Amino acid sequence: MADISVSGTTNPYSITALTPQQNDKNTLSMTDFFQLIATQLQYQDPTSPMDNNELMAQMTQMAMVQSMTSMTEAIEASTATSAQTYAGSIVGKEVTVAVIEENSYGQEKPTGVKYAKVEYVNFTSGSPTFKVEGDPKEHPLSHLVGMGRVPDPYNKDTSEDGDKEEGGTDGPEGPENGSGSGPDNS
């Protein structure tokens, strides 16, 4: 069994994900595949040559892998474009944003919501983030609960009695005073 050292870690319970990046050593291109097939054919036993069906099966599998890779890249590009388009469309609109706090294990947990207009969207960090009025930090799109004033799904009292509160308790001061979601400047 391998000995794993975790020295210098500030939080040993933090969750990290390691993803290998593609490079020339861990990927197989179609050219590499054909070179392997040619080498295999060159050094095969002449008394027991490779079966044509086996060769065709290998070529078909490689073509399928290449097609799936191309399709995955196209879907990722389309999803990124859709996310940027959507993020750009929320500028100037009132949104409901989850108020997030970290628990003792460093994991984020929604505790309530706040309502504000989106000031701007930032595309420089890879995935879009947005900033709302009165809040100094930028939020990822995953913190967006909805457009407009969505009832607080994290406060059991508001979500069960949502119909009662819509009658007019959200005056000009906003729902922050009665929603139980904590201060609006978090």
Side-chain angles (χ1 to χ4, degrees):
M1 185 153 171
D3 182 33
I4 300 174
S5 174
V6 193
S7 64
T9 305
T10 57
N11 183 356
Y13 301 106
S14 66
I15 299 171
T16 58
L18 301 175
T19 307
Q21 301 219 349
Q22 288 186 347
N23 60 34
D24 291 339
K25 293 181 181 179
N26 70 0
T27 56
L28 183 67
S29 69
M30 201 62 154
T31 305
D32 297 331
F33 174 73
F34 283 128
Q35 286 177 346
L36 282 173
I37 292 290
T39 304
Q40 187 176 3
L41 290 172
Q42 181 181 1
Y43 293 109
Q44 71 179 339
D45 183 7
T47 61
S48 175
M50 178 186 270
D51 185 24
N52 286 341
N53 291 336
E54 184 181 338
L55 180 63
M56 288 305 292
Q58 288 180 1
M59 292 179 74
T60 303
Q61 286 175 346
M62 186 60 188
M64 286 175 53
V65 167
Q66 187 178 21
S67 296
M68 288 173 56
T69 302
S70 297
M71 188 177 7
T72 301
E73 290 171 356
I75 289 172
E76 287 173 354
S78 176
T79 302
T81 302
S82 295
Q84 288 182 343
T85 303
Y86 175 73
S89 73
I90 66 173
V91 174
K93 302 222 170 118
E94 184 176 36
V95 296
T96 304
V97 181
V99 175
I100 305 294
E101 294 179 4
E102 282 191 8
N103 63 14
S104 58
Y105 300 110
Q107 298 169 328
E108 293 183 340
K109 179 183 179 205
T111 58
V113 298
K114 61 180 148 186
Y115 306 95
K117 285 188 178 180
V118 176
E119 286 184 356
Y120 66 81
V121 175
N122 184 353
F123 297 115
T124 60
S125 64
S127 57
T129 57
F130 64 95
K131 183 184 175 306
V132 294
E133 293 175 347
D135 190 353
K137 71 178 194 173
E138 292 184 3
H139 301 276
L141 285 179
S142 61
H143 291 183
L144 186 65
V145 175
M147 300 297 293
R149 291 181 179 252
V150 176
D152 187 349
Y154 309 112
N155 184 350
K156 298 295 181 201
D157 296 334
T158 353
S159 62
E160 291 174 3
D161 300 332
D163 296 333
K164 295 178 186 174
E165 291 188 21
E166 283 183 335
T169 60
D170 294 347
E173 311 85 34
E176 292 86 12
N177 297 333
S179 71
S181 62
D184 190 39
N185 59 359
S186 58

